[in-house]
């Protein structure tokens, strides 16, 4: 009896061992770990960004492949990327702002950087690249700073980078051919001369350089808006007094157009879409005009939002995708502080003898709610969409 029992135990042990080895072998054969590196990366280009995040939790190799620049470039070349909306938000009375990403399925803002870190709460300028978002300058303890940080939207990590040559607040920045140009924002009149007015950063290098500019503006005014034009070498800029300039990146030259933008303080977040300038105005309005004009018209089709939300005031306008723009506004239903957004597409047509641009709402709703009622207000510093 004992011999039979011992034999049965040995048999069960051998069966378990064979089953375990079989499972290990099956797992090893079916896993991505056996694939050559180039095939492994090629497979990753075919899955969604959310799946890449999940795969990054499996192993170090999966995480390294999901975060590699090679994979990012391949996904862009294949067109297997989707827009992801990132928001830099200061919630009072928190001392520092935080980065959030709009979840593509839940349509809620999710904090992506663990904990708060010292950061300017106003006066910064932002530039997005294929992989992340640069934050430059701004006010720290009431004083301009030369600080530069980079949010890596693949790794969801904020990096401290080499500072600018000059401390700046209220500057404007654009990206042209992998080079970041920062205009104005110098407060100290002793150093805010034409030789310090523009500096440039080549993304491939760690340093900043002051850019000698031909025919600079006569006074070191703050640039309120700057928009890269269609030929990618010209920047249309407006200072805080409404003076219009054109900057040539190829010739490093500013040229005053001799025109003045009316009430520049009421027009913010300029962008160029479909050969049309767009900006957010006041009273919940989005405005448009042709680049060669100075008269702004209201984008039609947002009246429903204005009626549904008393006191509706847009606090940020940005591009979401090739077909869609996004607006944000603050709301307080039942006294609860919330951040709302709406996606809309644009169409234009002749009505009589005038062109009319109309927005069609695709989606809208609350993306962030202060359920604990601990916040007194919010300041949306940056909203930018990246294809990842």
């Amino acid at each position: 009896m004992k011999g039979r029992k011992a034999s049965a135990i040995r048999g069960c042990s051998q069966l378990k061992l064979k089953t375990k080895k079989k499972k290990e072998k099956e797992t090893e054969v079916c896993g991505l770990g056996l694939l050559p590196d180039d095939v492994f990366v090629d497979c990753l280009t075919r899955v969604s960004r959310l799946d890449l995040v999940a795969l990054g939790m499996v192993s170090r190799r999966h995480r390294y492949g999901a975060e590699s620049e090679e994979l990012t470039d391949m996904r862009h070349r294949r067109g297997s990327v989707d827009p992801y909306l990132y928001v830099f938000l200061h919630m009072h009375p928190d001392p520092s702002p935080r980065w959030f990403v709009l979840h593509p399925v839940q349509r809620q803002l999710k904090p992506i950087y663990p904990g708060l870190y010292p950061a300017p709460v106003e006066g910064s300028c932002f530039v997005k690249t294929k992989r992340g978002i640069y934050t430059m300058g701004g006010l720290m303890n009431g004083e301009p700073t030369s600080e530069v940080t980079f949010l890596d939207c693949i790794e969801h990590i904020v990096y401290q980078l080499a500072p600018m040559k000059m401390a700046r607040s209220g500057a404007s920045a654009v990206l042209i051919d992998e080079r970041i140009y920062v205009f104005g924002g110098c407060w100290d009149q002793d150093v805010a001369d034409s030789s310090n007015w523009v500096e440039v950063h080549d993304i491939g290098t760690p340093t900043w350089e002051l850019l000698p500019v031909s025919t600079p503006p006569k006074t070191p005014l703050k640039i309120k808006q700057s928009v890269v034009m269609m030929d990618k070498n010209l920047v249309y800029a407006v200072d805080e007094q409404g003076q219009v300039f054109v900057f040539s990146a190829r010739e490093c030259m500013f040229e005053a157009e001799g025109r003045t933008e009316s009430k520049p303080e009421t027009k913010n977040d300029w962008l160029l879409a479909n050969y049309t300038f767009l900006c957010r105005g006041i009273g919940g309005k989005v405005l448009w005009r042709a680049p060669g004009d100075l008269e702004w018209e209201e984008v039609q089709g947002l009246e429903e939002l204005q009626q549904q939300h008393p006191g509706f005031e847009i606090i940020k306008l940005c591009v979401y995708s090739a077909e869609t723009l996004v607006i944000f506004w603050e709301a307080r239903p039942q006294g609860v502080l919330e951040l709302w957004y709406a996606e809309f597409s644009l169409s234009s047509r002749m009505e009589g003898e005038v062109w009319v641009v109309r927005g069609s709402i695709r989606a809208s709703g609350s993306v962030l709610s202060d359920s604990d009622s601990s916040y007194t207000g919010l300041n949306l510093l940056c909203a930018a969409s990246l294809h990842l």
Side-chain angles (χ1 to χ4, degrees), residues 344-365:
F344 64 97
S345 58
L346 291 178
S347 61
S348 59
R349 67 174 186 268
M350 287 289 293
E351 292 188 1
E353 297 181 355
V354 298
W355 278 99
V356 172
V357 175
R358 181 171 296 277
S360 299
I361 303 296
R362 292 189 171 186
S364 68

Side-chain angles (χ1 to χ4, degrees), residues 11-39:
C12 289
S13 299
Q14 291 174 358
L15 179 61
K16 288 180 180 179
L17 183 61
K18 289 180 180 179
T19 303
K20 182 178 180 181
K21 288 183 177 180
K22 183 178 180 181
K23 287 183 178 180
E24 289 177 351
K25 187 175 182 182
E26 288 176 351
T27 302
E28 185 177 342
V29 171
C30 295
L32 292 173
L34 290 180
L35 296 175
D37 286 347
D38 56 344
V39 179

Side-chain angles (χ1 to χ4, degrees), residues 114-286:
L116 303 174
Y117 65 99
V121 294
E122 61 178 297
S124 299
C125 53
F126 302 87
V127 162
K128 71 173 184 178
T129 64
K130 184 185 296 183
R131 188 180 177 94
I133 303 170
Y134 283 80
T135 303
M136 295 150 290
L139 292 180
M140 293 280 282
N141 300 319
E143 295 293 329
T145 178
S146 59
E147 180 179 294
V148 178
T149 59
F150 177 70
L151 169 67
D152 189 315
C153 294
I154 305 296
E155 299 178 348
H156 282 176
I157 295 177
V158 175
Y159 292 97
Q160 192 88 25
L161 302 183
M164 296 182 291
K165 298 288 186 182
M166 304 294 299
R168 302 173 186 270
S169 179
S172 191
V174 297
L175 178 70
I176 299 176
D177 294 333
E178 299 300 301
R179 304 184 85 195
I180 297 174
Y181 294 83
V182 182
F183 310 101
C186 298
W187 285 26
D188 190 340
Q189 295 300 317
D190 294 332
V191 297
D193 57 29
S194 60
S195 62
N196 299 322
W197 205 69
V198 180
E199 57 184 297
V200 63
H201 170 65
D202 191 324
I203 292 179
T205 65
T207 59
W208 290 81
E209 294 181 2
L210 293 172
L211 188 66
V213 178
S214 301
T215 61
K218 295 180 180 179
T219 54
L221 299 175
K222 297 177 185 177
I223 292 294
K224 185 171 178 59
Q225 306 292 334
S226 59
V227 181
V228 179
M229 302 299 286
M230 297 304 297
D231 66 1
K232 304 300 183 183
N233 277 299
L234 294 179
V235 179
Y236 188 96
V238 179
D239 69 18
E240 62 183 351
Q241 294 184 359
Q243 299 180 68
V244 177
F245 303 91
V246 174
F247 172 72
S248 170
R250 184 183 294 112
E251 300 173 0
C252 295
M253 181 176 67
F254 268 93
E255 182 179 349
E257 283 205 341
R259 298 190 298 169
T260 302
E261 181 70 41
S262 63
K263 298 181 180 180
E265 69 279 1
T266 64
K267 303 176 184 70
N268 295 280
D269 302 336
W270 286 34
L271 55 91
L272 184 66
N274 296 325
Y275 304 96
T276 303
F277 278 153
L278 295 158
C279 75
R280 64 176 170 94
I282 58 176
K285 297 178 181 179
V286 176

Side-chain angles (χ1 to χ4, degrees), residues 91-92 330-340 366 368-371 373-378:
M91 304 284 287
H92 305 285
E330 180 183 324
R332 292 180 180 269
Q334 289 78 47
V336 177
L337 176 63
E338 294 185 345
L339 180 66
W340 282 60
S366 172
L368 188 67
S369 179
D370 177 24
S371 57
S373 301
S374 58
Y375 294 111
T376 58
L378 55 85

Side-chain angles (χ1 to χ4, degrees), residues 12 58 77 95 100 162 256 259 277 299 326 340:
C12 289
V58 174
R77 287 196 298 270
F100 295 79
R259 298 190 298 169
F277 278 153
V299 172
V326 169
W340 282 60

